Amino acid sequence: MCGIFAYAGTENVVPLLIEGLRSVEYRGYDSAGISVIDEVGEIQTVKRGDHGASLGNLASALDGDSISGVVGIGHTRWATHGGVNHQNSHPHASSNGSVSIAHNGIIENFLELKDELMDSGIVFQSETDSEVLAHLIGNAVTSGRSLREAVIGAASRIKGNTAVVAVSASEPDVAVGLRVGTAGGIVVGKNADAAVMASDVIALLPYTSEVIYLESGEIVEIERGVIRLFDLEGSSISRKPIVTSQNFEAAQKGNHPHFMSKEIAEQPDAIQGAMRGRAAFTKGTLSLPEFSLAQGQIKAIDRVVLTGMGTSLHAGMFGALVIESLARIPATAENSSELRYRNPLIGPNTLVIAVTQSGETADTLAAMEHARNAGAPQAVVLELEGSQATRVADFTLPIRAGQEIGVASTKTMTASMTTLLQLAVVLAETRGVIGGEQVRNIVGSMAELPSLIATTLSLNGQISELADRLSKFEDLLYLGRGAQLPIALEGALKMKELAYIHAEGYPAGEMKHGVNALLGPDIATVVATPRNDLYEKMLSNISEVKARGGEVAAIATEGDDTVERLADHVIRVPDCPELLQPFITLVPMQLLAYRTALALGRDPDKPRNLAKTVTVE
Ligand code: AGP
């Protein structure tokens, strides 16, 4: 969705707003803008709707100290209502320019509000839904309300999930923030000289590690060194800050050219993080202390439903396979945007597991609410603690991958898979399906995972050559079977979102049921064919593709010369237990998409039309 940052303090706010927006730019980068209360108490607004170049162009436009002040707000936009241009960029101003707002979310009743405001003589400057907030708040301030009261009043008029920050020329020392629903959060913090609020904790880290996450229905007022919290009735709220574990330095690129390459490379550490405090390698035991469902309830589970979107859904598919395979409980993975609307049969003996690295994905949160209302015990597998999903689930299972900035999810997928595999073992052992010996074997295999991943990371050379070749195609097919199917789907998703190449992931068994019609010299096929019980079937699929003139790139086990003879290109991954093969074939898929994007001159950290967290439907 969008990135928001606001500052009230003693320093010149302009460079601080730019830096704050850089920290949250991955949440949306179609446009960028700031509003500053200048030395004479007027609001100055500068904004650029230049797609990925917006923040850079905004910073250039602000060079030379043309504007300065000590209170301001900023916004990076992922367009939902209104095209990408300067006018539709945030912040948006009230008619007389005395109020400016930056908004994240969707105002579902904005047309009726816009009509009402236009009937009263308001002239709109943009096509956005957000601008109605500027006028509602501006009108209230003009009629004598304080900025906080005006924001509360506007909150009572709008429908939909919203996070908004506002400044007013009539109160030049403060900025106000509001959160209603789950349109991406607002987190606030302060030090002796300043107070800041943002849509993401990472933007606060240069100022403080003690932060407060706004709950839905809360208002915050910040000024130099002061934070004041209120509810929608205007009553004061007091809440102790938490110390965040996020690390500003870790969130920087280091010596990597992109966040995505850094985060792919961090996967050995991310997987270790996901096993920390859970897998005891010397004893060969495994526990998941955060999953404190009573043993009797674990034994009574008669179905497991996993749910998520995009990459997290693919991780959930892996989770369903290992849970059903190890714990022998029927398990399915469902797209949250489908699950939330199909009135599913979920009850107290259904274990629901949401997978969402951000914890803020609107469709996944809605599916989680449905599960909670159905009385199902629910766990959420996530990275961002303090996010909305942790307030809905009964159990939060952190994946501890570390902040993921690249829009394309990489390390959070492998860390989610690692967490889900451990959950599967805990379920299986608690239900008596596997015993200590099998647990020891699995834990022993998992101990090898970080080094196996590190080995696959060294495949870059083979990958670059293949990426150059695949970049020539407009259509790609990704095939997999069993636990390699979610990997094939993920490989296709990565190629779509990074290289903008049409890539379809398919169960390899589907080929004869229509997909074969696509085969020919104009489409290349990527197949995941590690040595396992479906290996022979995959060899047949490769032959099928080749027989119809298709080009095949296979991800195969080191030393497998059979595939070598069949496929046009082979990426060799280390041999490993079948349970771990999806991790090992996933990394080349990630690298392939990353390298292909570079071959095509795409920005892998900020793919077009996308945002890191989709907090709207
Ligand atoms: C994957 O690379 C994309 N970033 C996207 O599909 C993402 O996985 C999806 O939006 C779910 O996000 P979540 O894990 O934060 O819920």
Side-chain angles (χ1 to χ4, degrees):
M1 200 44 200
C2 303
I4 285 175
F5 184 76
Y7 171 95
T10 56
E11 295 180 50
N12 178 10
V13 70
V14 171
L16 303 180
L17 290 175
I18 295 297
E19 277 320 300
L21 292 182
R22 260 193 239 291
S23 302
V24 298
E25 189 183 13
Y26 70 99
R27 296 172 66 94
Y29 30 82
D30 293 331
S31 66
I34 68 167
S35 284
V36 172
I37 301 181
D38 67 15
E39 281 94 355
V40 297
E42 288 182 2
I43 294 179
Q44 305 289 338
T45 297
V46 182
K47 43 193 189 180
R48 290 287 180 272
D50 302 330
H51 295 274
S54 297
L55 188 55
N57 292 351
L58 177 67
S60 307
L62 290 162
D63 269 351
D65 297 337
S66 53
I67 297 174
S68 68
V70 293
V71 175
I73 59 176
H75 185 273
T76 56
R77 181 175 181 237
W78 180 51
T80 53
H81 290 66
V84 177
N85 55 43
H86 297 346
Q87 293 73 19
N88 289 336
S89 308
H90 300 218
H92 290 291
S94 59
S95 301
N96 61 10
S98 67
V99 162
S100 184
I101 66 104
H103 172 238
N104 191 358
I106 287 184
I107 300 169
E108 292 170 1
N109 59 330
F110 92 94
L111 285 174
E112 106 195 28
L113 292 171
K114 185 167 183 173
D115 290 346
E116 177 192 308
L117 288 160
M118 289 174 73
D119 291 348
S120 71
I122 298 277
V123 177
F124 274 73
Q125 304 300 316
S126 78
E127 305 157 309
T128 67
D129 56 334
S130 308
E131 190 182 343
V132 299
L133 273 172
H135 297 304
L136 289 173
I137 296 168
N139 288 351
V141 167
T142 304
S143 63
R145 299 279 190 83
S146 71
L147 181 58
R148 183 179 78 233
E149 291 164 343
V151 169
I152 291 175
S156 66
R157 298 294 316 277
I158 61 174
K159 296 193 180 88
N161 295 322
T162 277
V164 63
V165 290
V167 286
S168 165
S170 57
E171 297 174 65
D173 300 327
V174 303
V176 170
L178 159 79
R179 173 180 184 172
V180 173
T182 59
I186 290 186
V187 56
V188 60
K190 67 179 174 72
N191 57 34
D193 302 322
V196 287
M197 50 185 165
S199 33
D200 198 312
V201 68
I202 191 172
L204 272 55
L205 297 178
Y207 302 89
T208 179
S209 59
E210 295 188 10
V211 301
I212 294 172
Y213 287 89
L214 252 62
E215 303 279 352
S216 175
E218 292 184 343
I219 322 288
V220 63
E221 198 172 66
I222 63 169
E223 63 180 298
R224 174 183 172 182
V226 177
I227 292 173
R228 289 185 284 272
L229 275 179
F230 304 88
D231 63 20
L232 286 179
E233 282 68 49
S235 306
S236 180
I237 301 171
S238 67
R239 180 174 311 139
K240 276 176 68 61
I242 62 170
V243 177
T244 179
S245 58
Q246 298 296 340
N247 174 319
F248 190 69
E249 284 64 42
Q252 305 313 304
K253 281 187 269 195
N255 57 6
H256 287 272
H258 301 102
F259 279 112
M260 185 176 177
S261 54
K262 170 174 175 280
E263 289 151 6
I264 289 174
E266 287 175 338
Q267 291 186 104
D269 294 339
I271 285 168
Q272 280 174 337
M275 295 193 285
R276 191 173 60 245
R278 295 164 175 170
F281 298 113
T282 44
K283 289 192 295 182
T285 58
L286 206 155
S287 65
L288 209 52
E290 304 91 343
F291 183 62
S292 54
L293 187 62
Q295 272 207 14
Q297 281 185 279
I298 290 177
K299 290 176 178 171
I301 295 168
D302 57 19
R303 189 158 69 95
V304 177
V305 173
L306 296 98
T307 190
M309 299 297 288
T311 292
S312 287
L313 174 59
H314 298 151
M317 289 172 70
F318 168 80
L321 286 161
V322 289
I323 287 171
E324 186 154 310
S325 163
L326 292 177
R328 308 311 295 154
I329 312 170
T332 54
E334 295 203 42
N335 177 298
S336 300
S337 65
E338 291 299 313
L339 183 65
R340 68 181 288 192
Y341 289 120
R342 70 171 187 76
N343 194 16
L345 287 174
I346 289 176
N349 291 334
T350 309
L351 172 61
V352 173
I353 304 168
V355 185
T356 166
Q357 74 85 19
S358 66
E360 297 289 353
T361 297
D363 284 313
T364 306
L365 289 172
M368 292 177 71
E369 291 287 352
H370 187 96
R372 180 168 67 173
N373 297 338
Q378 181 169 191
V380 61
V381 171
L382 58 65
E383 171 58 31
L384 291 181
E385 298 179 70
S387 58
Q388 183 62 16
T390 60
R391 298 176 179 78
V392 182
D394 304 303
F395 313 105
T396 295
L397 311 184
I399 63 176
R400 301 193 209 109
Q403 179 100 20
E404 185 175 68
I405 305 296
V407 167
S409 298
T410 50
K411 65 175 182 176
T412 55
M413 177 159 177
T414 39
S416 296
M417 289 165 62
T418 306
T419 304
L420 288 164
L421 176 53
Q422 293 174 103
L423 177 58
V425 173
V426 165
L427 291 172
E429 190 175 21
T430 306
R431 292 166 66 100
V433 178
I434 63 175
E437 186 57 32
Q438 288 151 295
V439 174
R440 268 190 293 281
N441 289 340
I442 293 171
V443 171
S445 302
M446 293 181 74
E448 299 304 313
L449 197 47
S451 59
L452 284 166
I453 296 277
T455 305
T456 54
L457 290 171
S458 63
L459 293 172
N460 256 321
Q462 300 175 47
I463 295 283
S464 293
E465 193 181 321
L466 178 55
D468 287 341
R469 175 62 190 145
L470 294 186
S471 67
K472 307 294 189 284
F473 287 88
E474 288 182 10
D475 297 290
L476 298 173
L477 199 52
Y478 283 72
L479 302 180
R481 288 176 184 261
Q484 294 296 330
L485 173 58
I487 306 309
L489 297 175
E490 175 62 10
L493 175 63
K494 284 285 153 305
M495 193 61 88
K496 281 192 279 277
E497 65 177 325
L498 292 162
Y500 315 156
I501 295 177
H502 170 236
E504 289 201 59
Y506 255 102
E510 272 283 335
M511 291 301 289
K512 296 183 179 65
H513 302 275
V515 184
N516 275 354
L518 289 176
L519 297 179
D522 298 336
I523 189 168
T525 301
V526 180
V527 293
T529 45
R531 277 200 179 284
N532 57 34
D533 56 0
L534 295 167
Y535 172 72
E536 302 297 337
K537 302 283 182 201
M538 290 306 295
L539 294 184
S540 304
N541 288 119
I542 293 174
S543 303
E544 248 175 275
V545 174
K546 292 296 295 169
R548 290 160 180 78
E551 191 167 331
V552 174
I555 297 175
T557 304
E558 185 70 51
D560 176 354
D561 54 15
T562 305
V563 175
E564 192 91 31
R565 290 201 300 275
L566 289 174
D568 300 286
H569 316 276
V570 180
I571 302 291
R572 301 165 197 80
V573 294
D575 196 4
C576 67
E578 188 166 339
L579 194 62
L580 304 185
Q581 285 176 349
F583 294 88
I584 306 306
T585 53
L586 171 60
V587 173
M589 300 277 194
Q590 296 168 339
L591 291 169
L592 200 48
Y594 172 70
R595 292 280 167 201
T596 307
L598 297 182
L600 293 169
R602 317 286 193 214
D603 179 348
D605 284 342
K606 296 190 290 188
R608 68 183 180 191
N609 306 333
L610 298 180
K612 183 62 179 172
T613 307
V614 181
T615 57
V616 294
E617 286 190 48

